[in-house]
Amino acid sequence: MGKSKPRNRTKNRTNPTAKPLADPELAAIRDQRILPVLKDLQSPDLKTRSAAARAITNLVEDHKSRKLLLREQIVRILFEQTLTDSNLETRTDGWGILRNLTVEEEPDFCIHLYRQDVLTAIDGVLKTIVQTIESQDVPFAKLPAAQQNILWNLTSSIISLVSSLAEAQEEIAEAISKNSTIVTFLFGLLAFSTPSHIQNELLSCLTILTEDNKLLDQQVVDGEWLKGLLRIKDAETIDSIAACGVLHNVFVTMKWFDHNTPVEGASDASLIPTLVKYMEHSRPQSNGHNLSSSPDEVLQLALEITASIATSLQEALEHGSRNEKEFEGFGESVNGDIEDLDIKDIDEDEEFKDEDSGDEMNQDEIDAEMEMVLGDDSDEEETPGEEATLGLLVRLVAPQLLSLARPTQDANNPIQEHALSALNNIAWTISSIDFSTGHLRSLQKFWATVTQSIWDGIISPVLASNTADIELASSITSLAWAVARSVKGAIKIKPEEQRKFMALYQASRSLEPSNGDSKGEDDTDAFQGLGVKSIGILGSLAMDPAPVELNREIGIFLLTTLSALPDVPAADTVEALNQLFDIYADKSYSFDEPVFWGDNFSKHLEEIQPKAKKLAKSIDKRKFGELRSRADEAVLNLGRFLVYKRKERKEDRDDFK
């Protein structure tokens, strides 16, 4: 009997036009193993068929044997004979073979099965399972243990198969959601006493199906299924975490955020205590031993759900804020070519010389324009509902994650990686919140303490280790950026730590493609690189009230980086410019006069301006629209920023006359 295996989505499919039998080894395997066992699978003798089915279940795990089985039409044989066999055990083995094939093969194999109408076959076998479970003549509990095991093995194969199919394609997931037999069976099984592995597989399947699936999620909240999931969540068993995953998907799809929900307690806030309790129970103790007997995969799942909750909260806050919108320029479109925009180089005095012109901007216009360059970060006052999940993430979750994310001797510690990811998402969410209204002052104070602990306990040790693990360095840099940004740069760093991030940026340049190649990256991925993250954290550390010397060192680094244009990745260029806009946004900052003007930053930015414009023009907007748009926007804002700073300084001088 084949056991359920973890999904392997690596590319295992071979070219159907290839001729594998030209290989003597493959020919031998075919003749000695594959053809005999397929012949036995179609034997009129029941024992022979059963033995063959079990043998094939094992052969599927071998890559070469699996490819030969597919070549010899194993799927056709299964559909036409094995899955309709008169013997339940043989049928069960057949479904196990099909299940393992979907686990081992790529998603296109599942698409092939879907087109072969596998859902109809599943529909039929589920009716058999339900009839057996609900039989009044012979109660399921009174069936021999062997028969019960066969039925649970069959159930396991079907659940796993449905999971693979749903993952393969949205169209298939939608078709499954519309199949009342499958959906009713899955949710109905939650209320039945099943073996633990069946319950776990079932909840994993439902997690896949309910993700961004309004059709199914609406069915969940309209019926009794939601109550069943909440009961499992509150039961404090190992399945409670998996139930949290399903519920989180439903809450996000239905936009049930905290108190804005038609069912009391049905929001992500209700999931956090369950997740935290498991983290607390499972985390390694000081003696190095783990007191939890639960598998690490469950703890990883709890961390993944937590990370997703933080991201969902950020999206909810941004969506709900009327001021949180994409920058649209200064009354001019940035969707066209940058050369079409009416931007004059800063050294052209036309913009300043005609003081009597009606086009001269007054101070209010200057302030309004600069506000648009820097973006309006103000949010509407957070509602108590929004504070519920936020408060739990800060006060309950973050301290647990801090413990789990600390550096360990294990270079490949998945728990640490997932904890870092969750902590990173929480920090980014908090960085998007405006605390200036004062209504979250207590929470802000608590978070400030947490952020310093994160820096001292996680970020500093990794920086001090000079790790060669680029993935870890990238994760730590992203976390550092989010943490510093969330407290407006108010982090106490150790001496020379800013130079560690500068070194990481230089290291990123040797790892990433050249600028010409980097424009071929995915738009989104381009802004997730180590280079952009390094620039981002440096910019946050240079923000007011940073010491003048630290600000100068970082400011010069950013300008030096930009001076290498056009030999600088476009995403790095955009981030460096945006950081400079933020750092030197206000003349009242202590470093504005001695650094921006004292070190002649304005002149250096004027020299960078045509280079940045040339870089933006070189990006193919048809292929990389987001990258081009953001580059155009940064160049446009650079011109406006320089205008603003020059006029700001001119007005200062006029005040002293």
Side-chain angles (χ1 to χ4, degrees), residues 131-150:
Q131 288 172 2
T132 305
I133 290 177
E134 297 180 348
S135 174
Q136 299 297 321
D137 298 332
V138 183
F140 183 77
K142 293 185 177 181
L143 287 176
Q147 289 188 33
Q148 291 188 30
N149 287 336
I150 291 173

Side-chain angles (χ1 to χ4, degrees), residues 118-131:
V118 70
L119 292 187
T120 298
I122 291 174
D123 191 290
V125 75
L126 288 182
K127 292 176 181 177
T128 300
I129 295 174
V130 171
Q131 288 172 2

Side-chain angles (χ1 to χ4, degrees), residues 83-244:
L83 300 184
T84 58
D85 197 281
S86 59
N87 180 264
L88 177 61
E89 186 172 3
T90 301
R91 294 203 302 274
T92 299
D93 287 337
W95 283 106
I97 293 169
L98 204 58
R99 181 269 316 279
N100 284 358
L101 285 170
T102 62
V103 168
E104 296 289 351
E105 290 294 299
E106 274 196 279
D108 59 347
F109 178 74
C110 290
I111 296 172
H112 169 71
L113 291 182
Y114 172 66
R115 291 171 180 169
Q116 297 297 312
D117 202 18
V118 70
L119 292 187
T120 298
I122 291 174
D123 191 290
V125 75
L126 288 182
K127 292 176 181 177
T128 300
I129 295 174
V130 171
Q131 288 172 2
T132 305
I133 290 177
E134 297 180 348
S135 174
Q136 299 297 321
D137 298 332
V138 183
F140 183 77
K142 293 185 177 181
L143 287 176
Q147 289 188 33
Q148 291 188 30
N149 287 336
I150 291 173
L151 195 77
W152 290 133
N153 286 333
L154 177 58
T155 302
S156 174
S157 294
I158 297 300
I159 294 173
S160 179
L161 182 56
V162 170
S163 297
S164 296
L165 291 167
E167 279 186 310
Q169 190 181 60
E170 288 186 15
E171 178 186 339
I172 303 176
E174 182 178 349
I176 293 171
S177 302
K178 292 179 178 178
N179 188 306
S180 60
T181 300
I182 296 177
V183 172
T184 302
F185 172 79
L186 293 174
F187 281 99
L189 205 57
L190 286 176
F192 195 80
S193 178
T194 63
S196 59
H197 73 279
I198 296 292
Q199 185 88 333
N200 184 262
E201 290 174 354
L202 180 60
L203 289 166
S204 296
C205 179
L206 291 175
T207 300
I208 294 168
L209 280 171
T210 54
E211 184 176 4
D212 195 23
N213 188 340
K214 184 65 178 292
L215 176 65
L216 181 57
D217 294 342
Q218 188 67 57
Q219 296 179 59
V220 173
V221 301
D222 286 345
E224 295 294 312
W225 298 337
L226 179 64
K227 293 180 181 179
L229 289 166
L230 290 171
R231 281 195 296 269
I232 297 173
K233 185 264 295 184
D234 293 333
E236 297 186 4
T237 67
I238 195 171
D239 293 325
S240 297
I241 301 303
C244 286

